[in-house]
Amino acid sequence: MNFECSFIINRMPRLLRVNLTDGTFKFEDIPEDVHKRFLGGFGYIAYYLLKEVDPKVDPLSPENKLMFAPGALVGTGIPTASKTMAGAKSPLTGTIMRSSAGATIGPALKKAGIDLLIIEGAAEKPSLLIIDDDHVEIKSASKYRGMDAIEVQGHLKADFGTDFATAAIGPAGENLLRIADIDSEERQFGRGGLGAVMGSKKLKAILVRGTKEVPVAKPDMLKKLIAKRAKIIKEHPATKDDMNYGTAEFFDRMNRERGTFPSRNRQRGYRKTCVDLKEPHKCPVDPYNRAPKYTVELHPCPKCTKPCGRYIEGDDTEVGHFRVEGLEYETIYSLGGALDITHFPAVAKLHEMCDRLGMDAISAGLTIARAMEAFEKGFLKPEDLDGLELTFGNRKAALEALRKMAYREGKVGELLADGVKVAAEKLAKKLGTDEPLKFAIHVKGMEPPAYDVRGIKGMALAVAVSYRGADHLTAVVYGTELVGKRRVFENVDRTKAEGKGFEVKIHEDLMAVYDATGICKFSRHMFYLEGIPELIEAVYGRRPTNAELLAIGERIVNVARLFNVRAGFTRKDDTLPRRVMHEPIPEGPSKGMYVSEEELNRMLDEYYEARGRSKDGIPLKAKLVALDLMEFLDYGVGSEA
Ligand code: SF4
């Protein structure tokens, strides 16, 4: 299964290692053997994190390492090969973390000849990391301290030049919120608190200018493949809606058709107020109603020819002016449905504030949603919340709570700054009861995405086992589950637990290939694995087989799992929130559905068997041998376990 990539390109993959404690840096070749087995992007990050970071380390200590890696195909002009990965041990989950973004720093790193950036140690004072091809410099960031994540990048471009790509943290990262993100020119490395890791290293921003050609083994072949891929994308029936409405186009399908759009802190599976309308598309948060009205320009990730991103802009008597890159399906959920807010400008303003303050919009929204439920259940009073009446639908209170969170300001800020799990545990401790923990919706500490998994059993398994906590993008199995068939999968029934282990396993392996190559997962319905082997041949010189590529994906998923096993995670952590397992969806097309303990156990058994893991979820040594992970053999367990 080993991917025998023969390099006929003019250089080996290279990493840049920067130590912020002593201000040193060095370039190192990435061994060919590592490239063959892990390819790039999150493949490199997962491997180097497992090799170099103690999984039990405090994520906010200098011993944690923050890594950025553009996908293996990024910077070559391939349409939708746009994604750069960031990773570290997460302060939100304690697991390995992967967060991807259509970040401008990815192609810039590639053009500087850097396939992996490893940031070690911690600076004493707020700092900038400036990478200008082979020249690396650490400068004071005192002048930029406290600026919001978007504002600061504007200042940096004015001060250093617009040909620098930038990434920065906002106040949330500086204040070490465990839900802080990293922004790269209005694309976010959103999930898992990587902004706090960057903040703990006192690194306010990274600037990258690369002026070299990205090496390509077969340029003529690549040119033809780029044209072919662009044509397929242009002519695909989904492209028009993708571009007109972005990911928000899922809303009506998920809400009205499936009844799996979570709202009110995931108590409900759909928004009845939208369903009951004579014209369902006139629902205030539905993109078919609002997108044309507010969209001012499209905003593609680097080299994307079917941009789902857009800037929306408007004025509102209540929230004032708003301009944000969004809304996405996820933020319509986390800052709309989860909070029971349908006033579109308020949802847009909340989204803009998350981006500017530097907070993951899913985690921030769900944290406020849980506080709203705690308030309505009487566990929180206005005096606990600096006077805020944090009821569902109260948009003014939500806006104020969000601002205070970023600065850890007042009682609200201190209570909610670090996400759902920490907030629920603080409240439970204060009240001396476990009741607030019962509606804390998270897996391994991460707040879940916009799918009511009670009605999508395969998704329930995917969020339970994902190596980064409740997550839709590690397996991206929801399309197969909701459509009922895709590629090798036929007659998939989202209401049944049977058969999900293999289905989730294959989807995870495939999506790990996307995380290694940097191809956007929102183009998977057009390509899946097709076309990727030939693109790799054009860039690196040799065409891998589909099986070789899937083995790389499987290897990456296992390395991530080994990191978590060494951090102490086992089967007991591959679980679901209490609400998912004990409170059926109350109404709508998925009424009555939930995931029983027996169903979860059956799905876990199936999944571990398909993965080659023990009953406790630990990779078997036989699997590690088969995947050529001999150096990690001691991290697995024997087949008899
Ligand atoms: S489809 Fe959307 S997320 Fe994907 S590369 Fe294009 S703009 Fe970025």
Side-chain angles (χ1 to χ4, degrees):
M1 283 293 190
N2 201 352
F3 168 27
E4 289 298 333
C5 173
S6 53
F7 284 98
I8 58 171
I9 55 176
N10 57 10
R11 67 167 179 84
M12 291 294 294
R14 194 171 68 143
L15 69 83
L16 170 63
R17 191 182 294 279
V18 178
N19 188 312
L20 293 172
T21 303
D22 59 16
T24 59
F25 71 92
K26 63 178 169 179
F27 290 97
E28 299 169 24
D29 283 342
I30 294 173
E32 188 174 354
D33 162 61
V34 174
H35 178 76
K36 282 178 186 173
R37 290 185 294 155
F38 295 96
L39 197 56
F42 186 65
Y44 287 167
I45 290 176
Y47 174 78
Y48 278 94
L49 280 173
L50 185 59
K51 283 288 276 190
E52 298 189 0
V53 173
D54 177 356
K56 293 193 186 298
V57 79
D58 173 358
L60 299 181
S61 71
E63 285 70 40
N64 199 6
K65 299 188 184 186
L66 178 62
M67 304 189 185
F68 296 88
L73 297 176
V74 167
T76 56
I78 297 167
T80 78
S82 311
K83 299 292 184 181
T84 296
M85 306 294 142
K89 176 171 175 173
S90 164
L92 185 67
T93 61
T95 65
I96 195 169
M97 186 53 54
R98 175 203 83 245
S99 193
S100 77
T104 54
I105 60 162
L109 283 168
K110 277 274 181 183
K111 287 181 181 167
I114 298 163
D115 300 278
L116 171 67
L117 170 63
I118 301 179
I119 301 169
E120 306 176 344
E124 272 184 17
K125 295 182 178 156
S127 300
L128 303 176
L129 171 60
I130 303 168
I131 301 166
D132 194 356
D133 280 330
D134 288 347
H135 181 80
V136 180
E137 200 178 350
I138 297 162
K139 281 194 165 182
S140 168
S142 56
K143 154 180 181 189
Y144 307 100
R145 196 174 182 180
M147 286 185 184
D148 82 44
I150 295 170
E151 176 193 16
V152 69
Q153 292 175 81
H155 283 276
L156 291 168
K157 280 179 181 287
D159 293 348
F160 291 88
T162 53
D163 50 350
F164 275 98
T166 54
I169 55 171
E174 290 185 48
N175 293 321
L176 306 185
L177 269 67
R178 289 171 195 268
I179 57 172
D181 68 18
I182 302 168
D183 186 289
S184 178
E185 303 188 32
E186 301 197 53
R187 294 282 178 183
Q188 292 81 28
F189 298 100
R191 307 241 63 193
L194 297 181
V197 178
M198 192 154 150
S200 74
K201 299 188 176 305
K202 295 223 167 22
L203 185 58
K204 178 67 180 174
I206 302 167
L207 296 91
V208 187
R209 179 162 60 187
T211 62
K212 303 171 196 172
E213 283 281 308
V214 176
V216 169
K218 300 183 179 179
D220 290 342
M221 180 182 180
L222 183 63
K223 206 171 155 193
K224 284 185 195 138
L225 291 176
I226 286 173
K228 180 177 156 192
R229 193 174 172 88
K231 187 166 182 286
I232 293 170
I233 290 172
K234 191 174 173 198
E235 292 173 357
H236 194 281
T239 295
K240 197 165 154 234
D241 273 359
D242 288 354
M243 288 176 63
N244 279 341
Y245 306 111
T247 56
E249 67 174 307
F250 301 159
F251 172 74
D252 192 53
R253 266 180 273 157
M254 294 298 295
N255 188 46
R256 187 167 53 86
E257 292 178 16
R258 304 317 199 295
T260 49
F261 175 77
S263 68
R264 289 181 75 94
N265 194 33
R266 302 178 75 95
Q267 294 176 84
R268 297 191 185 151
Y270 80 148
R271 294 201 54 76
K272 199 163 183 305
T273 48
C274 292
V275 176
D276 283 350
L277 288 170
K278 284 206 176 71
E279 294 175 275
H281 291 169
K282 295 295 178 196
C283 167
V285 291
D286 192 302
Y288 296 105
N289 176 36
R290 61 85 187 159
K293 188 170 161 191
Y294 293 108
T295 299
V296 289
E297 68 181 290
L298 294 177
H299 180 224
C301 298
K303 292 296 170 200
C304 178
T305 55
K306 64 167 206 72
C308 67
R310 74 216 45 258
Y311 285 105
I312 57 166
E313 190 167 4
D315 289 288
D316 177 68
T317 48
E318 192 181 313
V319 303
H321 186 74
F322 60 88
R323 178 183 166 91
V324 64
E325 208 276 34
L327 299 178
E328 300 135 23
Y329 174 61
E330 289 298 335
T331 48
I332 286 177
Y333 142 74
S334 65
L335 303 169
L339 309 177
D340 222 355
I341 293 175
T342 52
H343 183 60
F344 179 77
V347 182
K349 194 71 193 173
L350 285 162
H351 189 165
E352 180 185 347
M353 285 175 66
C354 282
D355 289 356
R356 288 191 172 279
L357 296 168
M359 275 186 272
D360 174 25
I362 297 177
S363 292
L366 265 286
T367 304
I368 295 173
R370 195 210 62 88
M372 285 175 164
E373 188 170 344
F375 189 91
E376 294 204 343
K377 284 190 154 83
F379 295 118
L380 283 171
K381 304 266 187 292
E383 54 268 32
D384 302 316
L385 300 166
D386 308 322
L388 291 179
E389 297 271 340
L390 211 50
T391 50
F392 282 110
N394 188 339
R395 51 207 189 224
K396 275 191 185 156
L399 284 158
E400 183 61 1
L402 190 69
R403 187 192 64 75
K404 286 182 164 229
M405 284 160 68
Y407 296 96
R408 296 187 181 273
E409 184 184 311
K411 291 179 181 173
V412 179
E414 215 23 74
L415 182 65
L416 304 183
D418 290 313
V420 161
K421 181 168 181 279
V422 172
E425 286 170 356
K426 277 183 182 170
L427 188 58
K429 190 172 171 196
K430 182 181 165 207
L431 300 176
T433 166
D434 281 351
E435 287 301 308
L437 303 179
K438 291 183 177 169
F439 51 92
I441 315 293
H442 66 86
V443 177
K444 300 184 179 80
M446 185 188 270
E447 300 77 8
Y451 302 86
D452 195 325
V453 301
R454 292 177 291 188
I456 319 172
K457 299 285 162 86
M459 270 294 283
L461 175 62
V463 302
V465 299
S466 163
Y467 55 76
R468 66 172 191 168
D471 166 47
H472 57 307
L473 292 173
T474 299
V476 201
V477 75
Y478 53 84
T480 306
E481 285 278 297
L482 294 169
V483 175
K485 62 176 180 178
R486 195 157 271 177
R487 297 302 199 269
V488 298
F489 294 98
E490 296 279 350
N491 303 319
V492 175
D493 185 346
R494 70 179 170 95
T495 69
K496 300 254 176 357
E498 289 80 17
K500 303 304 184 195
F502 176 68
E503 182 191 337
V504 169
K505 186 259 185 204
I506 292 294
H507 281 74
E508 285 180 336
D509 293 348
L510 178 59
M511 289 302 105
V513 172
Y514 277 57
D515 289 329
T517 54
I519 291 179
C520 175
K521 292 171 182 173
F522 297 145
S523 61
R524 74 193 184 286
H525 53 299
M526 300 179 182
F527 301 100
Y528 264 65
L529 206 54
E530 289 90 334
I532 298 178
E534 56 194 12
L535 289 169
I536 291 173
E537 179 187 347
V539 175
Y540 290 99
R542 183 190 169 276
R543 185 180 303 207
T545 64
N546 286 354
E548 285 169 337
L549 270 183
L550 285 171
I552 290 173
E554 187 175 11
R555 195 172 290 124
I556 293 168
V557 174
N558 274 283
V559 164
R561 179 68 176 189
L562 288 175
F563 186 97
N564 289 350
V565 167
R566 285 169 62 78
F569 291 85
T570 63
R571 181 183 185 116
K572 70 180 185 328
D573 304 292
D574 290 345
T575 189
L576 294 164
R578 185 188 176 282
R579 175 155 288 158
V580 173
M581 298 182 68
H582 295 280
E583 297 178 33
I585 295 178
E587 56 188 347
S590 295
K591 182 177 176 181
M593 288 188 68
Y594 68 108
V595 181
S596 70
E597 200 165 325
E598 190 254 323
E599 282 178 314
L600 176 62
N601 277 325
R602 182 191 308 175
M603 291 194 289
L604 285 178
D605 286 343
E606 255 190 39
Y607 173 79
Y608 292 155
E609 190 179 339
R611 275 251 163 263
R613 290 185 187 164
S614 71
K615 287 271 182 207
D616 206 27
I618 299 169
L620 297 176
K621 287 185 179 184
K623 174 56 71 178
L624 301 182
V625 171
L627 289 172
D628 197 6
L629 292 171
M630 301 295 283
E631 69 265 57
F632 303 121
L633 210 52
D634 288 349
Y635 302 175
V637 293
S639 304
E640 72 282 359

